[in-house]
Amino acid sequence: MEMLRFWSVVTSFSVFVTASDVRVGPKDPKEKRTDLLMRIRNYKDLENPPNYDSDKITVIEADLNVNSFDSINEASMDFKISVMLHLRWINHLITNQFTSVKSTLEYVEMDATKMGRLWVPDLYFPNEKRSSFFNVMTDNKMMRLHRNGTVDYTTRLALTLSCPMNLERFPFDKQTCSIKIESFGYTTSSLQLRWSNISENAVALNQTSLPQFEVTGRNYSHRERTHRFRGNFSYLQADFHLERNIGYYMIQMYIPSLLIVLLSWVSFWLNVNSVPARISLGVLSVLTITTQSSAVNASLPRVSYIKAIDIWMTTCLVFVFAALIEFSMANVLSRNSSSEKEFLQRIFGMTKIGRIEKEKNGNDVTIGLRRRRQSQTDGEKKDLIVNEIGNVNLKSEANEKAEKVEQNKGLVYASYLDIACRVLFPAIFAIFNIIYWVYFWKLTVN
């Protein structure tokens, strides 16, 4: 009987010890993690910045991971970017919370729903136009608290940032777009921003090529900026050096405008008397160049300085317009100037006689008769022309021959002008191309 009681006592004690081990032993990490999270979330001192009650400066280390450049807009001078921002700082109050619950965990994670009122740096982007957090399926924020007091905070952002551009060399230009990060409320006496100690990985870039640009380099720095009423603030700056790809503009702008200029020179090979063809060709070439120039400037801001593309389009317009003016000059040369003078004299004479007859008779002479008869006066053949108002003109065959000679000379001069322009226009345009492309190519290389 006594042996039975002894074994029952031993059995009860072992069960009690086993139950105690299950309840308070270190083999239940879930219970320790939950207790740690509850204690951290309810600890009000973690709502304030580290070293809030002391004179020590809190250093925030930042890493920036650029996921993508979405677009770069020259008209509004901004760019869209998607980034992953990682911040790190030290708060020794975290270590006390690990110790108080006797946790053996190295770190504990907290998502956006558990972060609560824990302090995070009050950062903003000075050159920001629009920004938003990613929230699919939940807010893309996380915090990791380490036993040694290190706090890692990571968030994902979509930003539209201002990027002032100098377009004097467009489309041979190079631009520098920056991301600036600054504390909004804490001055340099309490908070300072620094890039990560691993300098080569402080700013990571996953995308090195864009539809119109190529990322040729990046650099970053930390500085201080003074505001008039707020004081001195620490801020970070990451610069991305972008070089524009000219392939698109060669295909869509330079080559078509070049072909239009060459097309306008076809009129130099057409006959001077082909007035409709040469006028249509010249006018259409001018309108096409003007339309293309307007399309180029439609996607650019209305700046007051001259761009490289403006020099090209203006020169093409001048050459096309000069070809049209050349036809006008050739057409004037091909016509007989003496016959024009005589024609004008006839018009003015007919107007004067018609006015006199109207005053005398009170009616207009409306019946015209032109007849030709041969008469022999002083050994010459003459034409008798009776016009509508009854004015009689005598025209000798010698004058007709002289007019034909003058007209033939005009055609010869017009042909010479066309032949000269066939060589002069391509030569001048070739010289312009050499100067233009060599100059801007050197600027691009340097």
Side-chain angles (χ1 to χ4, degrees):
M1 193 67 169
E2 292 179 356
M3 290 294 294
L4 182 62
R5 289 178 180 178
F6 174 76
W7 285 111
S8 63
V9 171
V10 171
T11 303
S12 299
F13 181 75
S14 62
V15 171
F16 175 76
V17 171
T18 303
S20 299
D21 292 340
V22 172
R23 187 175 67 253
V24 300
K27 297 182 180 180
D28 190 5
K30 293 183 179 179
E31 185 176 353
K32 293 296 181 180
R33 189 184 299 272
T34 302
D35 292 343
L36 180 60
L37 290 176
M38 291 298 296
R39 188 173 182 86
I40 290 174
R41 294 178 63 185
N42 295 328
Y43 192 62
K44 293 186 177 181
D45 288 344
L46 294 179
E47 298 177 3
N48 300 322
N51 308 319
Y52 189 71
D53 295 328
S54 64
D55 296 333
K56 294 182 178 180
I57 298 175
T58 301
V59 177
I60 308 294
E61 294 184 354
D63 291 280
L64 194 66
N65 190 352
V66 179
N67 295 327
S68 64
F69 277 94
D70 295 332
S71 65
I72 299 177
N73 193 337
E74 293 87 0
S76 57
M77 290 194 177
D78 57 24
F79 67 104
K80 296 180 180 179
I81 193 171
S82 173
V83 300
M84 187 86 71
L85 179 63
H86 176 253
L87 304 175
R88 171 173 291 182
W89 65 93
I90 296 177
N91 191 343
H92 293 291
L93 296 177
I94 302 294
T95 304
N96 299 334
Q97 307 311 311
F98 275 84
T99 305
S100 62
V101 297
K102 298 180 180 180
S103 175
T104 59
L105 298 173
E106 291 298 325
Y107 61 87
V108 62
E109 301 95 344
M110 302 177 69
D111 58 19
T113 59
K114 296 183 176 62
M115 288 169 56
R117 293 180 296 177
L118 296 182
W119 180 83
V120 294
D122 60 336
L123 303 182
Y124 79 105
F125 300 88
N127 59 335
E128 167 200 348
K129 288 187 175 181
R130 291 175 297 275
S131 64
S132 61
F133 289 99
F134 287 91
N135 53 8
V136 180
M137 302 279 292
T138 182
D139 292 342
N140 293 172
K141 303 177 185 177
M142 62 87 63
M143 182 177 287
R144 181 173 293 175
L145 308 176
H146 295 264
R147 172 182 290 274
N148 60 0
T150 302
V151 181
D152 290 324
Y153 174 78
T154 304
T155 184
R156 189 164 170 246
L157 302 168
L159 303 170
T160 301
L161 303 175
S162 174
C163 180
M165 301 180 186
N166 185 355
L167 300 174
E168 289 184 355
R169 302 177 184 176
F170 177 88
F172 305 93
D173 56 328
K174 297 180 180 180
Q175 305 296 339
T176 299
C177 295
S178 303
I179 300 177
K180 300 177 182 179
I181 306 173
E182 184 178 340
S183 174
F184 189 81
Y186 295 98
T187 61
T188 54
S189 59
S190 57
L191 186 145
Q192 289 187 359
L193 299 175
R194 295 287 186 272
W195 290 111
S196 175
N197 291 329
I198 309 175
S199 58
E200 62 272 12
N201 294 327
V203 179
L205 184 62
N206 297 332
Q207 184 179 2
T208 57
S209 61
L210 304 172
Q212 293 189 26
F213 289 90
E214 182 178 353
V215 182
T216 58
R218 61 184 185 274
N219 60 284
Y220 32 90
S221 59
H222 59 271
R223 307 174 185 175
E224 291 185 6
R225 179 156 47 188
T226 302
H227 296 271
R228 182 176 179 183
F229 299 105
R230 298 168 57 207
N232 297 331
F233 290 83
S234 176
Y235 82 99
L236 303 176
Q237 180 170 331
D239 298 326
F240 300 94
H241 302 287
L242 308 173
E243 182 175 350
R244 192 182 301 274
N245 296 324
I246 198 176
Y248 169 81
Y249 299 95
M250 288 293 296
I251 297 173
Q252 298 295 329
M253 298 178 187
Y254 282 101
I255 294 179
S257 58
L258 175 64
L259 294 178
I260 293 171
V261 173
L262 298 179
L263 181 63
S264 67
W265 297 344
V266 174
S267 63
F268 301 151
W269 275 264
L270 296 178
N271 196 330
V272 178
N273 297 326
S274 303
V275 177
R278 297 189 68 166
I279 288 181
S280 301
L281 186 61
V283 172
L284 290 177
S285 300
V286 171
L287 293 178
T288 305
I289 287 291
T290 305
T291 303
Q292 191 175 22
S293 179
S294 300
V296 171
N297 292 319
S299 60
L300 298 175
R302 297 178 180 178
V303 295
S304 58
Y305 49 82
I306 299 176
K307 304 179 289 294
I309 191 67
D310 294 336
I311 298 175
W312 173 267
M313 299 304 297
T314 303
T315 304
C316 292
L317 179 60
V318 168
F319 271 89
V320 171
F321 185 75
L324 182 60
I325 296 299
E326 186 275 340
F327 164 69
S328 301
M329 296 174 61
N331 186 261
V332 170
L333 290 175
S334 65
R335 290 181 294 178
N336 188 359
S337 59
S338 61
S339 62
E340 289 183 356
K341 185 185 297 184
E342 184 179 353
F343 176 73
L344 293 175
Q345 289 177 353
R346 287 179 193 171
I347 291 179
F348 287 116
M350 285 187 286
T351 305
K352 184 176 180 180
I353 295 173
R355 191 184 303 116
I356 294 173
E357 292 295 330
K358 183 177 181 181
E359 291 176 357
K360 283 184 177 182
N361 304 325
N363 56 1
D364 295 332
V365 179
T366 58
I367 302 174
L369 174 64
R370 187 183 184 275
R371 63 183 180 178
R372 182 181 181 88
R373 68 180 183 180
Q374 301 296 328
S375 64
Q376 199 73 22
T377 305
D378 297 333
E380 291 184 347
K381 290 185 180 180
K382 296 183 179 180
D383 291 338
L384 177 62
I385 300 175
V386 181
N387 54 28
E388 294 179 353
I389 61 176
N391 191 22
V392 179
N393 295 324
L394 296 177
K395 189 174 181 183
S396 63
E397 288 185 353
N399 291 335
E400 289 183 357
K401 292 180 180 180
E403 288 178 1
K404 290 181 180 180
V405 171
E406 291 293 332
Q407 188 173 5
N408 291 334
K409 287 184 179 179
L411 290 173
V412 171
Y413 292 152
S415 300
Y416 285 162
L417 180 60
D418 284 341
I419 293 173
C421 290
R422 294 175 190 175
V423 179
L424 188 62
F425 273 63
I428 296 176
F429 192 67
I431 294 173
F432 164 74
N433 272 269
I434 293 173
I435 297 174
Y436 182 87
W437 293 105
V438 170
Y439 176 76
F440 285 105
W441 179 77
K442 286 185 177 180
L443 290 179
T444 303
V445 172
N446 296 332

